[in-house]
Amino acid sequence: MNLSVGIVGLPNAGKSTLFNALLKKQVADTAPYPFCTIEPNRGVVPVPDERLSVLAETVKTSKITPAVVEFVDIAGLVKGAHRGEGLGNQFLAHIREVSLICHVVRFFEDENVAHPEGKVNPVSDIEIINDELILADLATLEKQKPPKGKVEKEEAIFWEAVNILKKELNRGKWAREVELTEEQRNLIEKLCLLTNKKVIYLANLGENQLKKREEILRDFPFSPVIPLSARLEEEIVALTEEEQKEYLGDYQLERSGLERLIRLAYKELGLISFLTAGKKEVRAWTIQRGTTAKAAAGVIHSDFEKNFIKAEVIFWKDFVRYGGWVKARELGKVRSEGKDYLLKDGEVVEFRVGS
């Protein structure tokens, strides 16, 4: 499955700087004024996964294909975006397409970089964006028409959900926070409501603020939040892996912002990776936690799901310990699982399929 993360925030919050750092190249036009990003910049980056190189060494292959994340750098929203202010309609449409929202919040002070509201106020900035997303969703809900004539069961359930959502969103709630039945929630999926998406907040700190991040974020009322400096993330791009570790260590950080963001995105969306390992290739595949072996086979190829027989499964550390498939099978360490087996993160799988 494809994971896409939309980077949003007020103009000049540091979105494009972060995007440049994430892609490890200058693909977004950064400038200290609003709307330097008109069309969303898109880029695909590999998911950092140290297991893949170890597996590749075990099976003696040079081809590694990691899972990937698509990042979408969406131009800055402003007050009135739901009415089309600041190209708002166009940008809100781009947010509808992503799996998860990454909200970049400006904490850094820089008199050379204008703030659209005149001063840096992280909580107020978040509320501006949140209000715009709620208002955009209310506009979507208002467009829904009540069912007429002989009403089907699904139509009645959908309309009831629409009315519940309108009431709760007018109170400031997000759609994902509203209590709905499973059937109601499934039926409103077609509306692609913005506030039905999960959000990760990125606190964009100045480098001088980074070491004080715990103190600065102690009373921050939004979660989950990742503290980072987009400028620092951009600076370490050109460094070697060892130099990056040393640089991040100066700020008491174990991982880059990219790694922390992807790990948290996977957690928030309930995603895991299963692995395949052979002489031709080692590869990571992204699935939803709770996916059956048969459905996971379909991620590789639809014919694999259609003709599924069984899945041969071993945890990746055991695979490495026993030197690959041959020895692991000889020692009886490889399990045969049926179509309803739920794959776990880090399991190496070989699917057996019929013709």
Side-chain angles (χ1 to χ4, degrees), residues 79-136:
K79 283 182 180 178
H82 70 286
R83 298 191 302 269
E85 297 291 335
L87 305 178
N89 288 336
Q90 180 182 352
F91 302 153
L92 290 169
H94 294 311
I95 300 174
R96 295 188 194 281
E97 301 171 2
V98 300
S99 311
L100 176 141
I101 296 172
C102 171
H103 188 159
V104 180
V105 188
R106 179 174 174 176
F107 278 75
F108 69 89
E109 298 277 358
D110 188 337
E111 60 184 18
N112 295 315
V113 179
H115 190 288
E117 297 299 308
K119 64 178 181 178
V120 176
N121 186 329
V123 172
S124 176
D125 290 353
I126 289 176
E127 288 172 347
I128 289 172
I129 300 293
N130 286 356
D131 287 348
E132 292 303 321
L133 298 183
I134 288 173
L135 289 167

Side-chain angles (χ1 to χ4, degrees), residues 292-336:
T292 64
K294 184 177 181 180
V299 174
I300 296 177
H301 197 287
S302 57
D303 286 349
F304 281 26
E305 182 174 10
K306 181 180 177 181
N307 302 311
F308 179 92
I309 296 175
K310 66 179 179 178
E312 296 192 335
V313 181
I314 182 172
F315 186 57
W316 78 274
K317 285 187 177 179
D318 293 330
F319 184 89
V320 172
R321 181 181 297 118
Y322 300 117
W325 288 114
V326 175
K327 193 67 174 179
R329 287 192 177 105
E330 287 177 359
L331 295 172
K333 302 299 180 180
V334 178
R335 308 189 315 276
S336 290

Side-chain angles (χ1 to χ4, degrees), residues 256-304:
S256 70
L258 169 62
E259 287 191 66
R260 287 182 285 143
L261 174 55
I262 291 177
R263 283 171 180 264
L264 186 54
Y266 264 62
K267 179 181 176 182
E268 289 296 304
L269 293 173
L271 302 178
I272 61 172
S273 293
F274 74 88
L275 313 166
T276 52
K279 291 183 179 179
K280 290 184 178 180
E281 177 189 47
V282 164
R283 183 163 183 167
W285 305 84
T286 301
I287 57 173
Q288 197 78 34
R289 188 179 300 279
T291 298
T292 64
K294 184 177 181 180
V299 174
I300 296 177
H301 197 287
S302 57
D303 286 349
F304 281 26

Side-chain angles (χ1 to χ4, degrees), residues 112-350:
N112 295 315
V113 179
H115 190 288
E117 297 299 308
K119 64 178 181 178
V120 176
N121 186 329
V123 172
S124 176
D125 290 353
I126 289 176
E127 288 172 347
I128 289 172
I129 300 293
N130 286 356
D131 287 348
E132 292 303 321
L133 298 183
I134 288 173
L135 289 167
D137 279 352
L138 282 169
T140 298
L141 293 167
E142 290 295 340
K143 291 176 184 176
Q144 307 310 308
K145 303 299 182 185
K148 296 181 179 179
K150 185 179 179 181
V151 180
E152 298 292 332
K153 180 183 175 183
E154 282 195 356
E155 290 180 303
I157 294 171
F158 173 75
W159 182 243
E160 182 182 23
V162 167
N163 284 309
I164 292 171
L165 286 166
K166 284 196 287 189
K167 180 180 177 181
E168 295 300 325
L169 264 64
N170 271 305
R171 292 175 173 174
K173 275 190 176 183
W174 277 44
R176 63 183 171 83
E177 299 171 332
V178 176
E179 190 173 335
L180 295 173
T181 66
E182 184 177 355
E183 191 170 8
Q184 286 173 332
R185 188 141 320 262
N186 289 336
L187 289 171
I188 63 136
E189 284 291 330
K190 63 184 179 183
L191 297 178
C192 298
L193 296 176
L194 305 173
T195 62
N196 208 29
K197 299 181 185 295
K198 291 197 172 184
V199 181
I200 293 174
Y201 296 95
L202 285 191
N204 188 12
L205 304 163
E207 290 187 45
N208 61 328
Q209 297 173 308
L210 203 51
K211 289 183 179 180
K212 301 177 182 178
R213 59 187 178 276
E214 291 185 6
E215 178 183 343
I216 292 172
L217 294 174
R218 183 175 296 134
D219 298 319
F220 188 61
F222 297 94
S223 66
V225 59
I226 296 176
L228 56 69
S229 166
R231 184 173 294 176
L232 172 64
E233 294 290 328
E234 194 174 32
E235 288 175 357
I236 67 173
V237 167
L239 303 179
T240 65
E241 188 174 339
E242 282 302 312
E243 289 171 335
Q244 286 186 26
K245 287 182 179 178
E246 184 178 349
Y247 203 164
L248 291 170
D250 290 341
Y251 295 92
Q252 293 82 50
L253 294 169
E254 293 184 5
R255 302 180 185 277
S256 70
L258 169 62
E259 287 191 66
R260 287 182 285 143
L261 174 55
I262 291 177
R263 283 171 180 264
L264 186 54
Y266 264 62
K267 179 181 176 182
E268 289 296 304
L269 293 173
L271 302 178
I272 61 172
S273 293
F274 74 88
L275 313 166
T276 52
K279 291 183 179 179
K280 290 184 178 180
E281 177 189 47
V282 164
R283 183 163 183 167
W285 305 84
T286 301
I287 57 173
Q288 197 78 34
R289 188 179 300 279
T291 298
T292 64
K294 184 177 181 180
V299 174
I300 296 177
H301 197 287
S302 57
D303 286 349
F304 281 26
E305 182 174 10
K306 181 180 177 181
N307 302 311
F308 179 92
I309 296 175
K310 66 179 179 178
E312 296 192 335
V313 181
I314 182 172
F315 186 57
W316 78 274
K317 285 187 177 179
D318 293 330
F319 184 89
V320 172
R321 181 181 297 118
Y322 300 117
W325 288 114
V326 175
K327 193 67 174 179
R329 287 192 177 105
E330 287 177 359
L331 295 172
K333 302 299 180 180
V334 178
R335 308 189 315 276
S336 290
E337 302 288 358
K339 63 180 182 179
D340 295 325
Y341 175 72
L342 304 182
L343 287 183
K344 299 178 181 62
D345 185 61
E347 288 185 322
V348 183
V349 187
E350 191 169 272

Side-chain angles (χ1 to χ4, degrees), residues 31-89:
Y33 50 84
F35 306 119
C36 62
T37 309
I38 303 302
E39 289 297 326
N41 290 283
R42 296 176 181 268
V44 175
V45 300
V47 174
D49 193 335
E50 61 272 12
R51 300 172 297 193
L52 298 181
S53 59
V54 180
L55 288 172
E57 187 177 341
T58 301
V59 297
K60 304 295 188 291
T61 184
S62 59
K63 185 176 181 181
I64 296 175
T65 305
V68 297
V69 176
E70 180 187 40
F71 284 97
V72 184
D73 178 23
I74 299 167
L77 297 172
V78 295
K79 283 182 180 178
H82 70 286
R83 298 191 302 269
E85 297 291 335
L87 305 178
N89 288 336

